[in-house]
Amino acid sequence: MSWRPTYRSSKFRNVYGKVANREHCFDGIPITKNVHDNHFCAVNSKFLAVVTESAGGGSFIVIPVSQSGRLDSHHPKVCGHQGNVLDIKWNPFFENIVASCSEDTSVRIWEIPDGGLRRNMMEAVLELYGHSRRVGLVEWHPTSSGILFSAGYDYKILIWNLEIGEPVKMIDCHTDVILSMSFNTDGSLLATSCKDKMLRVIEPRSGRVLQQASYKNHRVNRVVFLGNMKRLLTTGVSRWNTRQIALWDQEDLSMPIVEEDIDGLSGLLFPFYDADTQMLYLAGKGDGNIRYFEITTEKPYIQYLMEFRSPAPQKGLGVMPKHGLDVAACEVFRFYKLVTLKGLIEPISMIVPRRSDTYQEDIYPMTSGTEPALSASEWLSGINRGKRSVFMFKTDPVLMSLKEGYHRPNQLVFKAPVKEKKSAVVNGIDLLENVPPRTENELLRMFFRQQDELRRLKEELTTKDVRIRQLELELNNLKNSQTPSFL
């Protein structure tokens, strides 16, 4: 990459990465060997969830963040899925609630007890069926407590209202597999990258595509919103097959504002953006290093800062929310790095070196808190609690300060709806009508059930035909008996 030598003063110029001591790492974890391009890891201030290798279905483990060290080989798992788990995400407002999606076409919501699991968890709080093929991505809405987005290999994005446990909207503007989803700060816009090489900005409540573009010099793989800067950043591949990043104006995707080549490696680049410090982190799948940059609204827009290097390749990375960081150590970001070959998860802290022990307000502005701004029904109805835009309602997230540390427990309680077995109809389409069988045995069972059903319907039809003929004869006899005689 052609790093610009121009000097620019920045408080983050000397940020460095620090790997946790061995006793603070998580060892002995059977990390999944699935080649799906995802992180397979999710973290919050209470728990660390990791997708694991398993036979006969999909599973993931949940470990309290405070219980580091070597994992017991018989540690209980969350193992209710019938197919491999492809993505997991913690609810940003209920820290015991985690969503998972799988090759079995389902999305499931799990409630983890305080202190972690004591036995295998098989029953989910909610089982959500609506996709006709495997589900590769799940994403929680950033300001609403009960809205979940899922993207499947059926090229559709479903919006789930967890207050009723059903899909309420289907976004079907994509023509191929959806690779990534990202929300802006208030959740009023959704950006997606797709295998059809298109970058889209969507208004999620209406499903309307506001902007879309395909740029031949930059094939998009991943996209992330850059906070309130009205910018998008994408990672991808140039026409010469070099890894590349591009900066876009969200209101005009005709051409990127700037493109920068990274290197010639082939691993997928994952972008992570910290809106509080305006820092961008780039981590390649299979790489051992993490590059970080500062994003500005003026040229050169993307300023290279430093690079964290490690010999161990990473399969995926989990990110700790802001309220779980060590403020006293001036920690501004924390990764949880999955090292498959060693069965190891390493915490990597990004630290701003400061001599003073006092609270550093300049690097810890007000950040997104743990209280939702809206409920699911309020967001869906379009209630406005912020500034109203020409195109959509905006609902700013509830902010919190990290000065006093994060000690106040969340008083919210997640209540799962009681669901009856019925069809899922969105936009007049029954999403469960054509759900395919997942295994060959299930296909055979479905075939024989259909044969029995056809045989039963034929017998019922024959019986009704006989009954109809009998009724016709009785009706004729009745008419004949009532005909007057003129003899």
Side-chain angles (χ1 to χ4, degrees):
M1 185 172 179
S2 56
W3 310 118
R4 298 179 177 84
T6 55
Y7 175 78
R8 180 179 176 275
S9 177
S10 170
K11 61 184 117 179
F12 303 111
R13 281 184 64 229
N14 298 313
V15 170
Y16 65 95
K18 180 181 179 182
V19 180
N21 297 329
R22 188 73 181 193
E23 59 267 20
H24 293 120
C25 296
F26 301 84
D27 198 3
I29 297 175
I31 301 170
T32 180
K33 296 180 175 62
N34 196 315
V35 295
H36 183 70
D37 286 331
N38 224 324
H39 295 296
F40 301 109
C41 178
V43 193
N44 64 16
S45 62
K46 283 186 176 181
F47 300 108
L48 167 67
V50 184
V51 180
T52 58
E53 190 71 14
S54 61
S59 64
F60 61 95
I61 59 171
V62 176
I63 313 167
V65 171
S66 58
Q67 295 180 11
S68 56
R70 187 161 189 84
L71 187 73
D72 183 9
S73 59
H74 300 291
H75 191 279
K77 298 179 180 179
V78 180
C79 47
H81 282 286
Q82 280 78 48
N84 291 328
V85 176
L86 299 180
D87 196 15
I88 47 176
K89 293 283 170 58
W90 290 102
N91 189 312
F93 309 111
F94 302 96
E95 295 206 307
N96 292 58
I97 301 297
V98 63
S100 63
C101 63
S102 167
E103 290 181 350
D104 63 8
T105 74
S106 72
V107 177
R108 304 194 184 200
I109 310 298
W110 311 85
E111 184 169 10
I112 309 300
D114 288 328
L117 299 176
R118 299 189 181 276
R119 60 182 64 87
N120 286 346
M121 179 175 283
M122 301 289 292
E123 296 294 327
V125 176
L126 277 176
E127 294 185 15
L128 308 174
Y129 290 94
H131 290 281
S132 60
R133 297 181 66 186
R134 60 179 175 169
V135 188
L137 295 170
V138 286
E139 201 71 49
W140 293 96
H141 192 273
T143 61
S144 179
S145 58
I147 295 292
L148 180 72
F149 286 63
S150 64
Y153 277 62
D154 52 4
Y155 313 156
K156 294 177 176 59
I157 296 176
L158 293 184
I159 304 176
W160 301 89
N161 179 359
L162 300 187
E163 292 178 355
I164 61 174
E166 292 186 6
V168 291
K169 180 68 182 175
M170 179 173 64
I171 301 174
D172 57 355
C173 58
H174 301 86
T175 60
D176 210 326
V177 177
I178 297 139
L179 300 176
S180 66
M181 299 186 290
S182 177
F183 289 99
N184 64 345
T185 305
D186 60 12
S188 60
L189 294 176
L190 173 69
T192 64
S193 61
C194 183
K195 209 170 181 179
D196 63 7
K197 304 178 184 178
M198 297 289 288
L199 174 65
R200 294 175 175 88
V201 176
I202 303 167
E203 204 288 300
R205 272 182 283 218
S206 66
R208 186 161 55 97
V209 179
L210 303 179
Q211 290 282 331
Q212 66 177 7
S214 178
Y215 190 58
K216 64 180 181 179
N217 290 338
H218 178 78
R219 188 169 70 249
V220 176
N221 283 330
R222 293 293 184 269
V223 60
V224 63
F225 263 104
L226 301 182
N228 291 320
M229 298 175 68
K230 293 189 176 181
R231 297 279 192 271
L232 294 169
L233 185 126
T234 59
T235 65
V237 181
S238 71
R239 63 192 305 178
W240 296 280
N241 286 330
T242 58
R243 295 198 295 189
Q244 192 180 60
I245 59 175
L247 187 68
W248 307 77
D249 182 347
Q250 73 180 36
E251 297 175 353
D252 181 13
L253 299 182
S254 58
M255 183 176 292
I257 299 171
V258 64
E259 300 170 77
E260 292 285 0
D261 290 335
I262 302 296
D263 55 33
L265 299 179
S266 58
L268 178 68
L269 275 178
F270 291 111
F272 302 89
Y273 181 68
D274 182 4
D276 296 341
T277 60
Q278 296 184 347
M279 286 180 64
L280 171 73
Y281 300 86
L282 291 181
K285 185 176 181 180
D287 296 358
N289 58 345
I290 300 174
R291 299 177 176 90
Y292 36 103
F293 311 78
E294 190 171 9
I295 307 296
T296 61
T297 55
E298 301 174 351
K299 289 184 179 181
Y301 302 114
I302 303 173
Q303 183 71 39
Y304 174 73
L305 295 175
M306 198 85 69
E307 180 178 357
F308 167 80
R309 294 187 178 183
S310 167
Q314 58 225 5
K315 183 179 182 65
L317 293 163
V319 175
M320 174 66 75
K322 279 286 182 173
H323 59 263
L325 300 180
D326 185 359
V327 177
C330 295
E331 184 183 29
V332 292
F333 215 74
R334 188 191 304 165
F335 292 101
Y336 284 78
K337 173 179 173 178
L338 274 61
V339 185
T340 309
L341 297 177
K342 299 180 181 179
L344 182 69
I345 298 180
E346 292 180 334
I348 302 173
S349 299
M350 312 307 292
I351 296 173
V352 180
R354 294 287 173 94
R355 293 182 178 178
S356 174
D357 293 332
T358 59
Y359 179 73
Q360 308 293 318
E361 279 190 57
D362 59 329
I363 61 175
Y364 294 115
M366 295 289 284
T367 189
S368 296
T370 57
E371 294 183 9
L374 293 172
S375 66
S377 55
E378 289 173 335
W379 182 79
L380 290 168
S381 65
I383 290 179
N384 178 26
R385 288 186 181 168
K387 296 180 180 179
R388 183 173 180 176
S389 169
V390 177
F391 297 105
M392 72 277 302
F393 295 110
K394 287 191 175 181
T395 50
D396 296 328
V398 178
L399 303 179
M400 63 179 288
S401 172
L402 301 178
K403 185 171 184 178
E404 303 300 327
Y406 179 73
H407 301 295
R408 184 170 58 84
N410 196 332
Q411 300 299 323
L412 297 172
V413 178
F414 181 81
K415 294 182 179 179
V418 178
K419 292 187 64 179
E420 299 178 359
K421 288 185 179 281
K422 57 182 179 179
S423 61
V425 179
V426 176
N427 298 343
I429 301 173
D430 189 351
L431 299 176
L432 300 182
E433 183 180 2
N434 296 314
V435 176
R438 293 182 287 271
T439 63
E440 185 177 350
N441 288 335
E442 190 173 340
L443 176 64
L444 289 172
R445 285 198 299 270
M446 183 177 291
F447 172 75
F448 290 125
R449 280 200 303 268
Q450 289 177 345
Q451 293 297 312
D452 293 339
E453 180 71 9
L454 285 172
R455 193 178 300 109
R456 185 187 64 80
L457 289 174
K458 285 180 180 179
E459 292 174 355
E460 186 176 342
L461 186 60
T462 303
T463 305
K464 290 185 182 296
D465 285 340
V466 172
R467 181 59 180 159
I468 289 171
R469 283 197 295 271
Q470 290 176 348
L471 290 174
E472 286 176 345
L473 289 173
E474 290 178 5
L475 183 61
N476 288 333
N477 292 336
L478 185 62
K479 286 181 179 179
N480 294 332
S481 65
Q482 292 179 353
T483 303
S485 176
F486 295 99
L487 295 174

